[in-house]
């Protein structure tokens, strides 16, 4: 059985309040992806649609998209794992191709978060946790990640300024990414300026500036067997390693509050499968839904030892010119986080980087890239390692 | 009086409950009596908080209740300035996890505790709390 490659990537701009329906939103990522791959819809054997369903008014969007995108009568189905839905879709596509069932599979991620109000959206995100035992206390995503931030600060001496530096980095690249929803600079001073919304506490210790930008968006990937990838593309990017893990949804069943066990476990599996180590990674996309999430990812993925993630950001090693560039497309913090589209967008960024097509965001000659995509509060974790060779 | 057909006691749990029917509805009766309770598997001795009706270790559903007592250590916490729909009236409030050794408890820190009094690692106890809307939950107080 040969390798599996990615031969097409696309995404919509990530925006607030997309002026169209979900099928039209999906078309934007699809169109860019089809133009990138330069193949016909007839060449696609199956499609997988990924989102977090609580935002969708449409039941079973896979069938609706298959019709709108011209992907009938090929099989289509839907999958979800909250914010990691489309990297789960990629894993399924890999499995379908490896099994020999299909040769070319499309993975479409989307979310139109503006279908519902911001308060309703927060309520739904809280229900991504344990609705029987935790949601009755009034939980929300920022508050859960804030518990991790508090524990990390207590154990390792990480400061609010260390966390803010991660947002400052994200904004550096959000400004040069034309697909990003938040394109303005964020400075360290804003976090201590009561006049700046960035300093506004959301769930202590996290402030508005520590939280990702909600957005509407879509992403699209075309995944193919080695034979088809070579036939259709002169620049395929290969899937070298895939890792995935889950953790107890209830905080009371967790042992670790200074890192995400799923990131660590999925990372270890992916490194082992790819036969590489953290030092071999030339560029990475990690799930920075909150600044603390990126800090923990540095440590869970082995870019830094536990507690030393702060040194990596303070020395700017995760900037474009550093030893391990991370989220140089603005990340979820500035590019935006349309739940179901996020993983596919992260994959797109790394594919463009490995092809040398990332424009102003391009890292120098990367050969191996990594994507870390988390669902819920470390409930699901997918780590994918991609390579040029 | 006719026998009540639907046992939906669980809808009394928390400011807003998203569950009404559970096999561990007796949890609510314990709250009414001022007790926070978990379950212990009578076959293999596994201890569960939050309480479970079923043991995944030995597949038994033969459970007994135990009371959460003594003190636990504060592992992590966060103070919310914004709440989900339906919780606006409770703001601000702290969510937290206490470690009791054999099990952990997720809940809220008692509202009367000041920010500077809350420290990771401090000893706390879990007590039943009646909410202004008549619902029941539990909170962590300084031990
Ligand atoms: Zn048992």
């Amino acid at each position: 059985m040969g390798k599996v490659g990615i031969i097409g990537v696309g995404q919509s701009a990530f925006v607030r309040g997309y002026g169209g329906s979900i099928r039209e939103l999906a078309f934007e990522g699809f169109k860019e992806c089809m133009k990138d791959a330069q193949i016909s819809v007839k060449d696609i054997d199956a499609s997988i649609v990924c989102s977090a369903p609580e935002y969708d008014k449409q039941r079973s969007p896979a069938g609706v998209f298959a019709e709108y995108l011209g992907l009938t009568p090929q099989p289509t189905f839907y999958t979800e794992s909250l914010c990691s839905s489309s990297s789960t879709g990629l894993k399924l596509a890999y499995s379908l191709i490896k099994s020999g069932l299909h040769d070319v599979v499309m993975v479409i991620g989307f979310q139109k978060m503006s279908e519902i109000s911001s308060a309703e959206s927060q309520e739904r995100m809280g229900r991504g946790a344990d609705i029987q035992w935790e949601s009755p206390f009034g939980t929300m995503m920022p508050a859960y990640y804030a518990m991790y931030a508090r524990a990390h600060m207590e154990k390792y001496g990480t400061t609010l300024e260390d966390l803010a530096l991660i947002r400052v980095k994200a904004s550096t690249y959000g400004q040069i990414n034309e697909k990003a929803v938040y394109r303005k600079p964020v400075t360290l001073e804003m976090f201590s300026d009561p006049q700046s919304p960035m300093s506004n506490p959301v769930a202590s210790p996290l402030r508005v500036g520590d939280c990702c930008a909600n957005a509407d968006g879509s992403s699209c990937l075309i995944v193919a067997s080695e034979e088809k990838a070579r036939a259709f593309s002169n620049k395929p990017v290969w899937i070298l390693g895939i890792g995935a893990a889950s953790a107890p949804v209830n905080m009371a069943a967790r042992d670790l509050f200074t890192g995400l066990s799923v990131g660590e476990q999925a990372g270890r599996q992916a490194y082992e499968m790819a036969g590489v180590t953290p030092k071999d990674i030339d560029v990475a996309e990690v799930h920075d839904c909150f600044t603390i999430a990126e800090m923990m990812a540095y440590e869970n993925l082995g870019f830094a030892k536990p507690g030393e993630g702060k040194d990596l950001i303070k020395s700017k090693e995760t900037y474009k010119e550093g030893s391990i560039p991370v989220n140089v497309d603005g990340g979820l913090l500035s590019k935006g986080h349309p739940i179901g589209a996020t993983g596919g967008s992260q994959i797109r960024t790394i594919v463009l980087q490995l092809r040398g097509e990332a424009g102003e965001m391009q890292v120098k000659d990367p050969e191996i890239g990594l994507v870390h995509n988390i669902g819920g509060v470390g409930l699901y974790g997918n780590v994918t390692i991609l390579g040029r060779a | 009086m006719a026998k009540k057909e639907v046992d939906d006691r669980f809808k009394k749990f928390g400011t807003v409950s998203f569950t009404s029917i559970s096999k561990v509805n007796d949890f609510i009766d314990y709250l009414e009596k001022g007790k926070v309770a978990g379950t212990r598997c009578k076959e293999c001795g596994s201890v569960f908080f939050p309480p479970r009706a079923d043991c995944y270790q030995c597949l038994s559903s033969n459970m007994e209740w135990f009371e959460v007592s003594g003190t636990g250590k504060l592992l992590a916490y966060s103070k919310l300035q914004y709440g989900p729909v339906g919780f606006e009236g409770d703001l601000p409030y702290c969510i937290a996890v206490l470690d009791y050794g054999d099990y952990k408890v997720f809940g809220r820190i008692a509202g009367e505790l000041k920010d500077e009094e809350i420290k990771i690692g401090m000893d706390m106890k879990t007590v039943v709390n009646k909410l202004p809307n008549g619902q029941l939950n539990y909170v962590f107080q300084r031990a």
Side-chain angles (χ1 to χ4, degrees):
Chain A
M1 206 58 215
K3 297 190 283 191
V4 174
I6 298 173
I7 60 167
V9 294
Q11 74 163 83
S12 72
F14 287 178
V15 298
R16 281 203 179 268
Y18 177 70
S21 65
I22 58 169
R23 71 192 74 187
E24 292 154 1
L25 178 58
F27 191 83
E28 304 222 4
F30 168 79
K31 179 175 167 179
E32 190 182 271
C33 183
M34 290 299 287
K35 287 188 165 185
D36 180 49
Q38 297 189 325
I39 63 172
S40 147
V41 284
K42 297 281 170 278
D43 298 319
I44 295 164
D45 300 324
S47 59
I48 303 170
V49 172
C50 321
S51 77
E54 65 273 18
Y55 294 93
D56 304 332
K57 294 204 168 90
Q58 175 69 55
R59 265 187 87 189
S60 200
V64 176
F65 288 6
E67 182 207 309
Y68 198 72
L69 308 179
L71 294 168
T72 55
Q74 300 98 307
T76 184
F77 66 94
Y78 178 87
T79 192
E80 77 95 9
S81 58
L82 296 169
C83 325
S84 62
S85 294
S86 46
S87 58
T88 297
L90 178 69
K91 185 186 178 191
L92 291 172
Y94 178 91
S95 312
L96 288 172
I97 292 164
K98 270 286 190 184
S99 72
L101 205 54
H102 298 302
D103 288 319
V104 182
V105 180
M106 177 172 273
V107 180
I108 302 156
F110 80 100
Q111 211 74 62
K112 194 177 172 208
M113 299 182 73
S114 64
E115 293 265 281
I116 55 181
S117 76
S118 177
E120 282 179 307
S121 151
Q122 286 301 342
E123 186 264 349
R124 279 160 175 73
M125 288 306 280
R127 286 197 285 113
D130 181 333
I131 65 146
Q132 185 169 1
W133 296 105
E134 292 186 355
S135 300
F137 286 103
T139 60
M140 294 210 299
M141 294 300 269
Y144 283 114
Y145 272 98
M147 293 203 311
Y148 279 81
R150 180 75 70 192
H152 200 276
M153 291 164 72
E154 177 74 18
K155 182 165 182 189
Y156 297 123
T158 307
T159 64
L160 286 174
E161 186 170 313
D162 297 335
L163 295 179
L165 285 173
I166 286 176
R167 181 60 200 264
V168 171
K169 172 174 70 72
S171 82
T172 303
Y173 301 109
Q175 289 169 74
I176 56 171
N177 184 350
E178 61 181 19
K179 303 277 192 181
V181 66
Y182 196 88
R183 305 207 55 198
K184 288 180 277 189
V186 178
T187 63
L188 213 46
E189 292 68 42
M190 290 178 180
F191 282 85
S192 48
D193 176 5
Q195 302 299 317
S196 168
M198 290 295 160
S199 69
N200 194 3
V202 174
S204 70
L206 299 181
R207 301 146 295 180
V208 167
D210 292 299
C211 305
C212 66
N214 285 351
D216 296 344
S218 67
S219 62
C220 188
L221 308 170
I222 299 173
V223 190
S225 64
E226 181 167 2
E227 191 191 336
K228 290 284 174 122
R230 292 195 192 281
F232 284 133
S233 173
N234 56 11
K235 52 184 179 183
V237 164
W238 306 104
I239 299 172
L240 307 181
I242 291 188
S246 66
V249 64
N250 200 301
M251 294 297 127
R254 297 200 181 181
D255 296 322
L256 183 69
F257 288 92
T258 52
L260 298 180
S261 63
V262 293
E264 198 263 330
Q265 289 161 355
R268 197 170 348 109
Q269 293 167 28
Y271 287 131
E272 193 184 317
M273 181 173 163
V276 302
T277 70
K279 286 195 169 39
D280 298 315
I281 305 301
D282 300 315
V283 57
E285 282 280 295
V286 309
H287 197 87
D288 58 331
C289 48
F290 299 95
T291 51
I292 180 63
E294 178 165 325
M295 183 71 76
M296 292 191 294
Y298 293 165
E299 299 171 6
N300 296 150
L301 293 168
F303 300 155
K305 292 198 183 88
E308 296 180 5
K310 58 182 181 298
D311 304 327
L312 217 50
I313 184 66
K314 280 198 279 199
S315 59
K316 293 199 164 187
E317 293 295 344
T318 48
Y319 274 70
K320 198 174 77 176
E321 301 77 13
S323 57
I324 173 67
V326 174
N327 295 348
V328 294
D329 61 355
L332 284 60
L333 287 166
S334 278
K335 186 181 60 179
H337 182 27
I339 317 290
T342 291
S345 167
Q346 292 177 302
I347 298 279
R348 170 184 174 273
T349 290
I350 295 298
V351 167
L352 294 179
Q353 285 283 348
L354 294 175
R355 287 193 204 153
E357 295 173 2
E360 261 194 281
M361 295 169 276
Q362 184 64 49
V363 166
K364 193 167 180 293
D365 289 332
E367 289 191 11
I368 298 177
L370 178 147
V371 175
H372 160 279
N373 187 199
I374 300 291
V377 187
L379 176 56
Y380 312 116
N382 295 322
V383 173
T384 312
I385 296 177
L386 304 173
R388 275 199 324 219
Chain B
M1 198 173 127
K3 192 169 175 290
K4 201 175 171 189
E5 286 185 2
V6 178
D7 176 4
D8 60 358
R9 282 173 288 164
F10 209 87
K11 70 183 181 192
K12 267 204 102 168
F13 184 53
T15 307
V16 179
S17 180
F18 302 93
T19 307
S20 60
I21 299 168
S22 170
K23 288 181 180 176
V24 292
N25 273 349
D26 284 354
F27 179 76
I28 303 302
D29 292 1
Y30 280 100
L31 287 182
E32 306 262 20
K33 288 183 272 186
K35 292 175 180 174
V36 179
T39 54
R40 184 186 296 113
C41 174
K42 286 168 92 168
E43 304 298 328
C44 75
S46 296
V47 166
F48 298 108
F49 195 90
R52 301 170 56 119
D54 311 293
C55 177
Y56 65 87
Q57 302 273 9
C58 74
L59 306 183
S60 166
S61 297
N62 189 10
M63 295 282 180
E64 62 185 0
W65 291 90
F66 72 91
E67 189 179 348
V68 171
S69 60
T71 64
K73 286 204 183 304
L74 182 63
L75 278 185
Y77 70 99
S78 163
K79 185 178 189 177
L80 286 84
Q81 302 292 342
Y82 297 92
V85 175
F87 293 83
E88 299 87 346
D90 294 356
L91 289 167
Y93 52 84
C94 285
I95 57 168
V97 178
L98 286 198
D99 188 359
Y100 276 81
D102 287 345
Y103 54 89
K104 299 184 189 81
V105 179
F106 174 90
R108 265 195 210 176
I109 292 177
E112 61 269 22
L113 229 58
K114 293 191 181 71
D115 288 359
E116 54 273 21
E117 295 177 298
I118 305 172
K119 295 264 185 296
I120 285 184
M122 73 189 287
D123 290 313
M124 304 191 87
K125 60 185 179 182
T126 305
V127 299
V128 174
N129 177 51
K130 189 157 189 163
L131 290 151
N133 65 359
Q135 294 280 99
L136 292 165
N137 69 1
Y138 54 80
V139 293
F140 306 139
Q141 289 179 346
R142 188 150 46 178

